[in-house]
Amino acid sequence: MLLRDSQFNWLNKVVSPSKINTNKIVASSRAISAMDSTPSENRSDKRKVIAVVGGGLVGALNACYFAKRGFAVELFESREDIRQAKVVRGRSINLALSHRGRQALKHVGMEETIVSKGIPMRARMIHALNGTRSPIPYGKKGQYILSVDRANLNKELLTAAEHYPNAQLNFGHKLLDWSIESGAMTFLRPDGAKEQIKADLIVGCDGAFSAIRKQFLRQSRFNYSQTYIPHGYMELTMPPHNGDFAMEPNYLHIWPRNTFMMIALPNQDKTFTCTLFMPFEDFEKITTEEEVMGFFQTYFPDSIPLIGEVAIKRDYFRLPAQAMVSVKCSPYHMGDKCVMMGDAAHAVVPFYGQGMNAGFEDCLVFDEVMEQFNEDFSVVLPEYTRVRVPDDHAIADLAMYNYVEMRSHVNSKWFLFRKYLDNFLHFIMPNTIIPLYTMVTFTRTRYHEAVKRWHWQNKVINRGLSLCGVASMAGGTYLAIRFALSHPSLTVDQLWSRVHTLRWY
C-alpha cells in the first residue's frame, strides 16, 4: 500500500518541472486521487506502486511488464538517460539474443523491433592458427542467435517503458538506503537533494554490484557468493573493408588458443567488435606496442590485416583489461516487499551468451508466477525464488564451463565428433536426444533440467560408444584368429604387417 506521505512526495516528484509529459502527470495525479478516495482494504492491487531500481536492460523490460499489468511504475536509474548521453558508459560486450530473450520481448510486443536490428549468427566460425576457417553450426537449419547492440537495445526498452502512461522514468537517482519494513527508499537526486519514496514492491535490477542486495546481506539465512575469474577481457574494433564486413557477418568468429581466445561479433555499421579474453597475468606481460604486435603475429596473424596494426596498438592500450564476476545468491526475495532480478540476483560470465537472456526470462517467469497466483506478492515472491534460483545457478555454472569449451575444446577432434554425433542422434531421435546447446539456446527448457538431461544423455551415448568399441575389438580379434588359423604358415610379423597396411584404407 502506498502511504499518504509517500503520495505527497510522489506527486511532488511527478509534477516537478523535469517531467514534461503532461499526459503522465494527469494520469499519475488521477491515480493518487483515486487512492485517497478509496478505502485501502477495498483498493485494487492494480493501483499498487512498483519501484524498479535500475534502468538497464532488465530494469527497463521489467518496467514494461509491470506497467502492462496496470501498476503505477517508478523506474530509478543512477546514471543519466543514455538516450541523451554523448558517451554511453558501462560494459559493451556484444549481446547474443536467443529464444528465451525473444520470448520475453515478445510478451510486451518488442520482439520484432529488436530482431529487425540484430544480425543472425548461424554458426561458430573457428579460426585455426594456420589461418584456416571451419564452421560449427549452432543447431538445425534455420536456428540462429542474434548479435545485438547493448546500448541500442537499452534505449529501445526505455522508450517502450516511457510510452506507458502509468510509468515514470527517473534518471540521476542514486539509491542510498531502503527499508524492508516500510518499503521506503532514500535517493540522492541530480541536484544533490535527498528524496524519500515509498512503494508496495521494490524490484532490484541494479546489476552485479547491486545497492538493493546490500540490504539482503544484513539479513540472516541469505546465501551469497561472488567469484572473480582469473581472466579479463579487452575490446578491439574491426572496421569495414571497402564499405562491407571484413569477414563473413553471419557467424560468431572464434580464435581458440587453449588458455585464451578472441571472438568477434558483427554490428549493424559493418564493423566487428572483437573481444580478447585472457588471464590477467598474460595481459600484464604485454607492455609495449612491439610486444602487442608480436603477440598478435604469433596467435592471431589472420586478424592483423583485418583490424589494422594502428587500431590494435590503439585499442589495446586504451583501457586496461576488465574483470568478470559471477554472483550467486538465495533467496531472491525479502518478505513481500522486495525481489531481485537480472545481474543483481545472478551475474554470470558471458561465455554462454545467456546473461541477458536469463535476465529477460526472469521478467517473463515472474509475470507467469504473478498470473498463476493472482498478483498476491506474499505468495508470488517466495514461489519465484523457489522456481528461479536453481535455474540461475545452473546457467552460472554452464557459463563457466563454456569458456573452456570455446577456448580449448573446439580444437579437439573428439569434441567435433561428439558435436556431429549429438546432432545426428537428435535428427533421428528429436525427442530423446537433444544437444545441451539446443536446450539452452533454442528452447525454454529450465536450465537445471537441461543440465540433468545433458548428463543423462552423455552417460547413454558414452556407454553406447563403449559397447561399440568393445564389439569392434571382439569382432576384430575373432576375424584375426580365424584368419591365422586358416593360414598356419603365416608368421606373427607378416600378420602384423598386413594389419598395419589397413590404416591406408
Side-chain angles (χ1 to χ4, degrees):
M1 183 178 71
L2 189 68
L3 302 181
R4 288 184 179 274
D5 58 344
S6 64
Q7 292 172 13
F8 180 75
N9 288 335
W10 187 41
L11 180 57
N12 283 339
K13 176 167 63 63
V14 169
V15 299
S16 66
S18 63
K19 303 291 182 179
I20 59 174
N21 190 326
T22 56
N23 291 332
K24 290 185 178 180
I25 294 173
V26 172
S28 299
S29 301
R30 287 177 180 173
I32 293 173
S33 298
M35 291 178 191
D36 286 336
S37 60
T38 307
S40 60
E41 60 271 16
N42 296 326
R43 212 162 65 204
S44 168
D45 283 351
K46 296 293 185 183
R47 301 201 180 132
K48 287 182 176 179
V49 174
I50 310 297
V52 178
V53 180
L57 299 176
V58 176
L61 182 60
N62 248 327
C64 295
Y65 268 82
F66 285 108
K68 183 181 178 183
R69 281 191 166 271
F71 294 104
V73 178
E74 290 281 335
L75 183 145
F76 299 95
E77 169 57 48
S78 60
R79 301 169 298 176
E80 63 179 320
D81 188 343
I82 63 171
R83 295 170 297 176
Q84 274 78 52
K86 294 181 180 179
V87 178
V88 179
R89 296 179 175 83
R91 288 175 58 184
S92 56
I93 294 177
N94 281 51
L95 301 170
L97 179 66
S98 56
H99 180 74
R100 297 172 195 268
R102 290 181 63 164
Q103 290 299 300
L105 292 169
K106 182 178 181 179
H107 193 76
V108 291
M110 289 294 294
E111 182 186 16
E112 291 306 315
T113 300
I114 303 305
V115 168
S116 66
K117 297 180 180 179
I119 299 177
M121 298 184 294
R122 306 181 188 281
R124 297 168 173 170
M125 181 65 79
I126 308 303
H127 293 245
L129 194 57
N130 63 7
T132 59
R133 303 179 183 184
S134 54
I136 303 178
Y138 280 124
K140 296 183 295 186
K141 185 177 180 180
Q143 290 182 326
Y144 59 87
I145 58 178
L146 281 161
S147 174
V148 296
D149 179 80
R150 177 188 296 271
N152 179 70
L153 176 55
N154 204 168
K155 293 174 184 178
E156 292 281 359
L157 291 173
L158 288 171
T159 299
E162 199 170 46
H163 283 163
Y164 288 92
N166 52 320
Q168 292 286 332
L169 310 186
N170 307 277
F171 297 98
H173 280 63
K174 181 180 180 180
L175 180 66
L176 300 178
D177 200 8
W178 65 278
S179 169
I180 177 60
E181 289 79 16
S182 64
M185 296 168 288
T186 302
F187 290 94
L188 182 65
R189 300 193 317 191
D191 59 5
K194 292 182 180 179
E195 182 176 14
Q196 282 201 336
I197 305 294
K198 288 185 181 179
D200 296 280
L201 178 66
I202 301 170
V203 184
C205 305
D206 51 341
F209 306 100
S210 169
I212 290 291
R213 195 174 59 232
K214 290 179 181 178
Q215 188 71 269
F216 281 66
L217 292 170
R218 300 172 188 170
Q219 307 298 312
S220 63
R221 300 173 65 191
F222 178 69
N223 300 306
Y224 172 77
S225 68
Q226 173 181 292
T227 304
Y228 280 97
I229 65 172
H231 298 71
Y233 73 91
M234 179 179 290
E235 293 189 338
L236 305 94
T237 300
M238 183 181 294
H241 280 216
N242 299 320
D244 203 356
F245 288 102
M247 302 184 296
E248 303 92 329
N250 297 119
Y251 296 90
L252 192 159
H253 293 261
I254 306 177
W255 289 258
R257 299 298 181 260
N258 295 320
T259 59
F260 56 89
M261 71 174 181
M262 185 169 72
I263 67 172
L265 278 74
N267 300 308
Q268 285 284 347
D269 62 0
K270 310 292 186 181
T271 64
F272 278 89
T273 299
C274 303
T275 309
L276 174 61
F277 297 96
M278 193 163 64
F280 278 104
E281 59 186 24
D282 290 338
F283 276 116
E284 292 163 1
K285 291 176 183 177
I286 301 174
T287 58
T288 67
E289 292 184 352
E290 290 74 20
E291 289 174 340
V292 170
M293 295 313 303
F295 173 75
F296 270 80
Q297 286 164 1
T298 301
Y299 296 106
F300 313 115
D302 63 325
S303 73
I304 296 175
L306 301 177
I307 301 174
E309 288 192 23
V310 174
I312 291 173
K313 295 174 183 177
R314 180 196 65 224
D315 291 350
Y316 191 91
F317 293 105
R318 182 176 54 185
L319 291 171
Q322 303 297 301
M324 290 173 284
V325 66
S326 178
V327 170
K328 292 181 181 179
C329 66
S330 176
Y332 288 168
H333 74 286
M334 194 179 293
D336 62 353
K337 288 290 186 182
C338 184
V339 65
M340 296 185 295
M341 299 188 204
D343 284 355
H346 50 83
V348 301
V349 292
F351 305 115
Y352 220 113
Q354 286 294 304
M356 171 191 64
N357 292 287
F360 281 2
E361 192 177 44
D362 286 347
C363 304
L364 181 55
V365 170
F366 192 83
D367 189 77
E368 290 169 346
V369 176
M370 291 260 281
E371 188 68 25
Q372 181 182 356
F373 293 101
N374 198 30
E375 301 176 359
D376 182 352
F377 294 154
S378 64
V379 180
V380 168
L381 271 59
E383 177 65 10
Y384 172 75
T385 284
R386 186 191 70 80
V387 169
R388 200 62 182 154
V389 165
D391 291 332
D392 291 332
H393 287 188
I395 193 57
D397 293 337
L398 280 177
M400 290 287 198
Y401 160 80
N402 212 47
Y403 184 34
V404 180
E405 177 175 302
M406 292 176 71
R407 76 181 192 226
S408 177
H409 290 175
V410 292
N411 290 322
S412 163
K413 291 182 180 179
W414 171 254
F415 171 81
L416 296 176
F417 166 73
R418 277 302 308 270
K419 276 286 184 184
Y420 288 119
L421 177 61
D422 289 353
N423 289 333
F424 173 72
L425 293 175
H426 178 50
F427 177 76
I428 62 176
M429 297 181 288
N431 296 322
T432 304
I433 302 297
I434 306 174
L436 174 64
Y437 193 88
T438 296
M439 288 188 283
V440 170
T441 307
F442 301 119
T443 77
R444 280 197 63 204
T445 303
R446 294 184 62 185
Y447 288 124
H448 83 281
E449 291 177 356
V451 171
K452 286 182 180 179
R453 183 165 185 158
W454 174 49
H455 289 315
W456 174 80
Q457 289 177 172
N458 275 345
K459 287 182 180 179
V460 171
I461 294 172
N462 288 337
R463 285 176 182 174
L465 291 173
S466 297
L467 288 174
C468 288
V470 170
S472 297
M473 290 180 64
T477 302
Y478 170 74
L479 292 175
I481 292 172
R482 281 195 62 179
F483 184 81
L485 292 175
S486 63
H487 298 78
S489 62
L490 198 66
T491 66
V492 173
D493 289 340
Q494 289 173 324
L495 179 62
W496 173 248
S497 179
R498 294 192 180 191
V499 171
H500 192 60
T501 59
L502 292 176
R503 70 189 182 93
W504 299 108
Y505 295 92

